[in-house]
Amino acid sequence: MDVVIEIEPGGGTTAAVYRALRAAIVDGRAPAGHRLPATRVLAADLGVSRGSVAGAYERLAAEGFLTARVGAGTFVAETCDGRRPARRAADPLRPRAGWDLTPLPASGETPAPRYDFRTGIPDPGLFPFDTWRRLVGAEMRLRANGPGTYGAPAGHPALRAAIARYLGYARSVRATADEVVVTNGTQHALDLIARVMLRPGDVAAVEEPGYPPARRLFASLGARVAGVPVDEEGLVVSALPPNARLVHVTPSHQFPLGRVMSQARRRELLGWARQRRAAIVEDDYDSEFRFCARPLEPLRTLDGSGRVLYVGTFSKSMLPAVRTGFVLAPPGLRQALVAARQLSDGYGQTAVQAALARFIDGGDLARHVRRARRAYADRHTRIVAGLTAVPRLAVVPSVAGLHVTALLRPGAPDPARVVAAARRAGLGLDDLADYAGGDAPVPQGLVLGFGAVDPELIEEGLAVLSGILRDRQVQ
């Protein structure tokens, strides 16, 4: 408890200590039940005599603010739960013009629903915590990784090299350690890219529907965001604004529809970027969890003109709590991206990055992904079968990722009302409209994740959803 004492001329030290302690109790800094320091300790901290503190304690106890317990100490009385509301300071400060964003809900802020079909959440029960704990513990030793120094903003050298090797055998992406810039996940990578590439007024193109945090990020930096429709082959290149400076795409598993960008569309997009001198941000999330055919070559592999920035994260393949991602930077942007990283948050968690390098190079990540892929493939099969059996839903084909999108057929109830009714029934899922910005028409649909759901409750949860879709009160 911080106490500031102002001793007025002729007021006396005991009175000053009394006023300071009483104020701390009244405004809630010292809450009910709080144990006060011993008189000797507090006197030493405040630089006053012990008698002054003891006298203040006695007066506060006599007035009912404190209680003394023999052998235990002195405590703020349980009846003292703040005697008056704390005064609020004036609030004259406001964000700059155009900054009207509020935080999006986070999955960890609320209790999980019984039928947890929320998107973007992997199953922590599949993760090898014992192995990870051992690796992190080893990197937290006193002299490991220079704990008294500041790390390289580009990331731990061993992790950059490990990521380059991993992308080579896992995604057929050729990269060197020098091209890798380690970030705190995909959103951080997008922030760095936007900071060094977009000026206020520049046009940034995003998929519609697409990844809302990317749209919000670009807009927050003053860019004009244009939503571009997505069809069965992926982003409709012919609908791109001709003056777009940057295009954000998820070609391996379009978010949230789940479709794969065709080879022809990929080459068309690369040709467009080369002709328009634009950048492509390839967000290759969820590519590890593919349940049938081999994935198509990433845009980064097909790119011969240096227009693609390849972004990835370990939030799904491992855990969001690892908070580690990366961007493969073209030579002309690497220095700027590293400088932007240094200016934004300095550098990452060196011990975690070093542990992740060993987790990758020791084969632990590959083993975990294989195990998790089998579990998720089973859930994917079951959830697709369950949704297909619901008459009012049409499942969008997908072969990867941790979620499935189902479109509502004509005559089905409004998806917003379905989502609201589902939440009342303990079922968490998303309205497809929540992934759209209003720039292009988006079909009505529902998005269901299967990373967090209890496998034993999949069919039961889908039965609840089916009942909601048949309920006349939801129509």
Side-chain angles (χ1 to χ4, degrees), residues 50-142:
R50 184 176 182 182
S52 297
V53 175
Y57 276 21
E58 291 173 1
R59 181 175 173 183
L60 289 167
E63 294 178 359
F65 286 97
L66 300 179
T67 58
R69 304 173 193 171
V70 178
T74 303
F75 299 81
V76 177
E78 295 294 341
T79 56
C80 294
D81 193 17
R83 296 298 181 90
R84 65 168 183 263
R87 290 184 299 172
R88 292 186 177 273
D91 188 23
L93 301 180
R94 292 293 183 272
R96 63 171 171 80
W99 186 272
D100 56 355
L101 299 175
T102 57
L104 294 171
S107 57
E109 290 182 314
T110 56
R114 173 175 173 80
Y115 309 106
D116 195 354
F117 291 106
R118 295 175 297 170
T119 59
I121 309 175
D123 185 352
L126 301 175
F127 187 71
F129 278 100
D130 290 341
T131 300
W132 180 246
R133 187 184 306 111
R134 174 175 54 79
L135 293 174
V136 174
E139 300 298 339
M140 289 295 290
R141 298 189 307 272
L142 175 61

Side-chain angles (χ1 to χ4, degrees), residues 144-474:
N145 305 300
T149 61
Y150 293 88
H156 193 285
L159 178 57
R160 289 190 282 118
I163 290 174
R165 287 189 291 268
Y166 177 73
L167 292 176
Y169 67 76
R171 294 295 288 122
S172 299
V173 172
R174 290 184 178 181
T176 65
D178 287 340
E179 295 176 276
V180 178
V181 177
V182 180
T183 66
N184 289 331
T186 295
Q187 191 67 11
H188 188 203
L190 296 179
D191 181 67
L192 298 181
I193 293 169
R195 286 178 185 276
V196 303
M197 292 206 65
L198 294 178
R199 296 166 299 186
D202 282 348
V203 175
V206 299
E207 296 168 321
E208 181 87 338
Y211 181 56
R215 171 186 283 274
R216 289 163 60 91
L217 170 64
F218 299 150
S220 75
L221 295 175
R224 291 182 290 146
V225 182
V228 181
V230 177
D231 63 14
E232 288 75 10
E233 292 191 65
L235 183 83
V236 179
V237 177
S238 60
L240 281 167
N243 58 340
R245 166 79 166 153
L246 178 151
V247 183
H248 175 259
V249 291
T250 53
S252 297
H253 180 233
Q254 200 280 327
F255 187 84
L257 293 175
R259 294 166 177 153
V260 178
M261 182 181 287
S262 69
Q263 190 81 349
R265 193 65 62 80
R266 291 173 188 237
R267 295 193 179 279
E268 183 184 3
L269 176 59
L270 289 169
W272 181 93
R274 183 171 56 253
Q275 181 182 8
R276 301 290 180 177
R277 298 183 178 180
I280 299 172
V281 179
E282 180 179 15
D283 188 343
D284 203 25
Y285 90 108
D286 274 2
S287 60
E288 293 90 350
F289 301 124
R290 180 162 290 274
F291 310 128
C292 56
R294 287 284 299 172
L296 296 175
E297 289 183 293
L299 293 170
R300 174 61 157 60
T301 301
L302 299 172
D303 178 31
S305 60
R307 294 282 169 186
V308 177
L309 294 99
Y310 186 89
V311 171
T313 180
F314 295 96
S315 294
K316 306 297 187 299
S317 58
M318 294 177 64
L319 292 172
V322 174
R323 295 308 304 138
T324 304
F326 58 88
V327 54
L328 297 187
L333 289 179
R334 185 184 184 279
Q335 180 174 311
L337 289 170
V338 174
R341 172 72 200 265
Q342 190 172 51
L343 289 173
S344 63
D345 73 337
Y347 65 103
Q349 302 178 74
T350 307
V352 171
Q353 292 184 12
L356 180 53
R358 295 177 60 187
F359 192 76
I360 295 172
D361 287 339
D364 296 298
L365 176 60
R367 283 188 290 272
H368 166 61
V369 168
R370 286 195 297 269
R371 178 187 175 213
R373 185 187 295 127
R374 289 192 296 269
Y376 292 142
D378 175 69
R379 299 182 198 182
H380 179 267
T381 299
R382 291 164 60 188
I383 198 170
V384 168
L387 291 172
T388 302
V390 180
R392 294 187 168 185
L393 294 179
V395 179
V396 178
S398 67
V399 295
L402 297 180
H403 73 270
V404 172
T405 296
L407 304 183
L408 293 172
R409 297 184 186 276
D414 179 77
R417 300 187 66 180
V418 172
V419 170
R423 288 175 180 167
R424 292 193 296 270
L427 192 156
L429 73 169
D430 293 334
D431 184 346
L432 181 60
D434 292 339
Y435 297 89
D439 295 333
V442 172
Q444 291 189 328
L446 304 172
V447 185
L448 293 87
F450 51 84
V453 66
D454 183 342
E456 301 299 322
L457 297 177
I458 290 179
E459 284 75 16
E460 184 178 323
L462 295 179
V464 171
L465 175 60
S466 180
I468 292 171
L469 289 168
R470 295 193 307 269
D471 189 344
R472 293 181 178 276
Q473 295 183 355
V474 183

